[in-house]
Amino acid sequence: IEFRRLRGEDATLGGIARAYRKYQLDRGACVPLAERAKKNPVLKEAIDAPEVRIRQAWKPVPSPLPDQTPENEPKVTPYVTFDRVTDIAREFKRQGVGKAEFCLVGWNIGGHDGGEEGLRACIREVKDLGYLIVPHGNYLDAYRIADSWDEEWLLKNLDGITTMHAGDWGGGRGYRICPQRAYEKFMSREMPRMKALGFKGLGYFDVVSVVKARYCGDPRHPLNGEQAAKCAGLPTDGMR
């Protein structure tokens, strides 16, 4: 254990944060965005562009049914179509907004009208206007309504029992996914497919960087905190 004494104005919570940041930078554990952006022009553009999140469609929240099925699934209501997204981007351009990153929330199947061709056309036009456009995604939660539902890949405690629920959202009762299964079954497959749609910018994948790295007790895919963080693409130095 290393102790560091903070004095005067540094003997505050802010001082602790500054000291910890300096410690991480000095040992190379973190690379500032300004440095990373020198080698990544898309990152540089995203840093300078305000995020514009557009909710396209949703179901009632909280869900009136905890476990939805195709027969009882509440209606999805579209509010902002792909054509409307492009209208918004054109208005940004008309009003002289130089940079922006549009984030589409609810763009998945069942989330709106337009279909994949409408999505591709929207992405092309927004990029042609000089803006970034990215998807919103989530690899933490699972819902029984999903056609890929399988209890095998849910997060388990050390007794092998699924106990971690993830709230009540549009899809109904949410369940935590084992990070290993999330990577193997979904991230590694879907992220290349999203890239192929033409998205450009910093993809928005819900809260993965602000929740603790969860262990999994399922003997088919046991996972400690460090392994879970690696599956999520997070820094892992010293994490267990």
Side-chain angles (χ1 to χ4, degrees):
I1 299 175
E2 180 179 336
F3 292 92
R4 299 193 179 202
R5 185 174 295 279
L6 303 178
R7 303 179 185 278
E9 293 182 356
D10 288 330
T12 63
L13 290 176
I16 293 173
R18 291 190 295 272
Y20 184 67
R21 181 178 187 275
K22 183 178 186 303
Y23 164 71
Q24 296 287 43
L25 292 174
D26 288 348
R27 71 193 189 99
C30 297
V31 180
L33 286 176
E35 291 298 317
R36 292 164 58 190
K38 292 177 181 178
K39 299 180 180 179
N40 189 329
V42 175
L43 177 60
K44 174 62 168 66
E45 187 176 354
I47 291 172
D48 295 335
E51 183 86 353
V52 182
R53 283 172 59 77
I54 300 178
R55 291 188 67 194
Q56 294 193 269
W58 56 86
K59 295 187 286 186
V61 177
S63 173
L65 300 167
D67 292 315
Q68 298 175 15
T69 68
E71 292 74 29
N72 66 18
E73 180 183 12
K75 180 181 178 181
V76 177
T77 304
Y79 290 94
V80 182
T81 65
F82 292 132
D83 287 342
R84 179 61 177 151
V85 172
T86 56
D87 287 342
I88 293 169
R90 291 191 200 104
E91 183 64 15
F92 268 58
K93 195 72 173 180
R94 188 187 71 80
Q95 295 201 26
V97 178
K99 296 182 179 181
E101 181 178 74
F102 292 92
C103 179
L104 304 186
V105 185
W107 61 277
N108 50 292
I109 294 173
H112 48 71
D113 62 355
E116 185 172 315
E117 286 308 309
L119 172 60
R120 288 179 179 272
C122 172
I123 292 170
R124 286 194 300 270
E125 183 153 359
V126 171
K127 291 197 301 184
D128 287 346
L129 289 167
Y131 299 124
L132 301 175
I133 181 168
V134 297
H136 173 279
N138 186 338
Y139 291 104
L140 295 177
D141 306 351
Y143 300 85
R144 291 185 183 276
I145 186 64
D147 56 13
S148 56
W149 170 263
D150 189 337
E151 292 197 23
E152 188 272 341
W153 39 256
L154 297 184
L155 201 71
K156 313 296 194 308
N157 64 18
L158 293 180
D159 295 325
I161 300 172
T162 302
T163 59
M164 298 193 69
H165 292 162
D168 187 356
W169 306 101
R173 179 183 292 125
Y175 298 84
R176 299 293 187 198
I177 309 174
C178 170
Q180 179 180 321
R181 284 294 189 257
Y183 176 78
E184 293 173 344
K185 301 291 186 181
F186 301 102
M187 289 182 186
S188 59
R189 179 190 69 185
E190 293 175 357
M191 287 189 176
R193 293 170 64 188
M194 284 187 277
K195 181 179 180 180
L197 289 169
F199 285 116
K200 180 183 178 183
L202 304 183
Y204 190 111
F205 297 99
D206 231 331
V207 304
V208 68
S209 63
V210 296
V211 298
K212 66 180 181 180
R214 297 183 172 94
Y215 70 84
C216 184
D218 192 312
R220 294 165 292 186
H221 41 88
L223 212 63
N224 63 29
E226 181 176 10
Q227 294 165 332
K230 287 181 177 178
C231 288
L234 299 176
T236 61
D237 184 73
M239 183 182 294
R240 292 292 186 272

